[in-house]
Amino acid sequence: TSSFKSETVFFSPLVIYSWQSLIPDLTSAGLVRTEDGVNYLDLDSLINLVQENKTWGDINSNELRGRISISSTDPSKSSSGNLFSALVLNSLLEKSGNTDLTPEVKLEIRDFFSKMGLLDDSSGDIFDKFLTLGRTTYPFVAGYESQIIETINAGTDTSQIAVLYPEPTVWAEHELISLNSNGDKFLDAMQDTEKFKTIAWDRYGLRMTGVGVDTSRYENFGIAKELRSVAPLPRVEVIEEVINLV
């Protein structure tokens, strides 16, 4: 009889990537506040602006023109898009005062994601496009915190990028599944070896349970030492219904 052992080993919070040049106007509009060098995003307010087709001019910004937009991957094909859809759902439910997916909320979700146009399939692809095409095409992109740390470590110039921590955010959990005794040893080693825990954060930006992170080397990039507000994920069947709407 086959058996397996599984543990959630790594975590990375969902963040919203934007641009340093937009931070002053986003701050003036009440969308972003900065504490100890870390940018926190009022995601509910940003979602409202997107829903209402507000423009950059509506928030008194001359940096960009046209409608304010936010981009994510396809929730049915990418976990970052899936997690972002959970945040959008939580926001819409709270605003409506409902706890269930009413026809009105379903319509809002479908409309919100339809504004994004064609959705990318992978977190890596959309992040690469964000870096390449810039703020006009991608003023806001949902992704993993680990992506900016990997990019910094690769030597890429990230001085123009702003990391925004939505309040609340959600955790992306990375699970390791062991299928045999050798796998069990590897799983145990990854959880217990202090050196490995350091490598996981320093090289790949992955957080681990019960382990603090040293953000000093990233202090110029606005990486949070700890998260202040994390939302629970909706039930699996609710997320599946949301995916079918997008």
Side-chain angles (χ1 to χ4, degrees):
T1 303
S2 61
S3 62
F4 65 89
K5 179 180 178 181
S6 66
E7 294 287 348
T8 301
V9 180
F10 304 122
F11 299 85
S12 187
L14 192 78
V15 299
I16 305 299
Y17 288 107
S18 188
W19 301 92
Q20 293 290 348
S21 57
L22 301 180
I23 294 299
D25 288 344
L26 296 176
T27 301
S28 297
L31 290 169
V32 169
R33 78 176 197 284
T34 305
E35 295 182 14
D36 298 324
V38 179
N39 297 312
Y40 297 95
L41 172 68
D42 182 347
L43 184 60
D44 290 341
S45 294
L46 179 58
I47 289 172
N48 288 339
L49 291 175
V50 173
Q51 280 190 293
E52 296 168 5
N53 295 315
K54 296 295 185 181
T55 67
W56 289 94
D58 289 328
I59 63 168
N60 298 315
S61 175
N62 295 317
E63 291 292 332
L64 294 175
R65 297 186 179 185
R67 286 192 303 108
I68 296 170
S69 62
I70 185 168
S71 303
S72 82
T73 53
D74 188 331
S76 68
K77 298 177 181 178
S78 166
S79 58
S80 65
N82 191 302
L83 292 172
F84 180 66
S85 72
L87 284 180
V88 173
L89 172 61
N90 285 342
S91 178
L92 296 180
L93 288 176
E94 184 174 346
K95 185 175 70 171
S96 69
N98 294 305
T99 56
D100 297 317
L101 274 174
T102 63
E104 291 78 15
V105 172
K106 289 180 180 179
L107 185 61
E108 285 186 280
I109 291 172
R110 183 180 289 114
D111 180 64
F112 183 87
F113 278 90
S114 70
K115 294 178 188 296
M116 297 186 193
L118 184 64
L119 301 175
D120 282 282
D121 292 347
S122 84
S123 305
D125 286 348
I126 196 172
F127 189 70
D128 287 343
K129 290 180 180 179
F130 167 78
L131 296 175
T132 303
L133 299 179
R135 66 179 196 167
T136 304
T137 305
Y138 291 105
F140 300 103
V141 165
Y144 299 124
E145 177 191 60
S146 57
Q147 290 177 281
I148 189 64
I149 294 178
E150 285 190 292
T151 304
I152 293 168
N153 289 336
T156 302
D157 180 12
T158 58
S159 60
Q160 301 305 310
I161 298 173
V163 183
L164 312 180
Y165 289 86
E167 292 189 308
T169 187
V170 288
W171 286 110
E173 300 181 2
H174 303 276
E175 190 172 29
L176 179 68
I177 299 175
S178 166
L179 302 178
N180 53 42
S181 59
N182 287 332
D184 291 348
K185 293 176 183 177
F186 181 63
L187 178 56
D188 291 340
M190 286 215 301
Q191 292 179 296
D192 295 337
T193 303
E194 287 299 322
K195 181 178 179 180
F196 187 84
K197 292 175 180 177
T198 302
I199 291 173
W201 171 252
D202 288 346
R203 291 189 186 177
Y204 305 107
L206 295 170
R207 299 175 186 247
M208 300 184 76
T209 304
V211 181
V213 293
D214 179 10
T215 57
S216 60
R217 63 185 293 186
Y218 305 116
E219 61 184 355
N220 295 326
F221 302 98
I223 303 300
K225 189 171 183 62
E226 61 180 359
L227 302 189
R228 299 184 178 183
S229 180
V230 178
L233 290 173
R235 300 187 311 276
V236 172
E237 59 269 23
V238 175
I239 287 294
E240 289 178 346
E241 193 168 356
V242 169
I243 288 173
N244 291 330
L245 292 170
V246 176

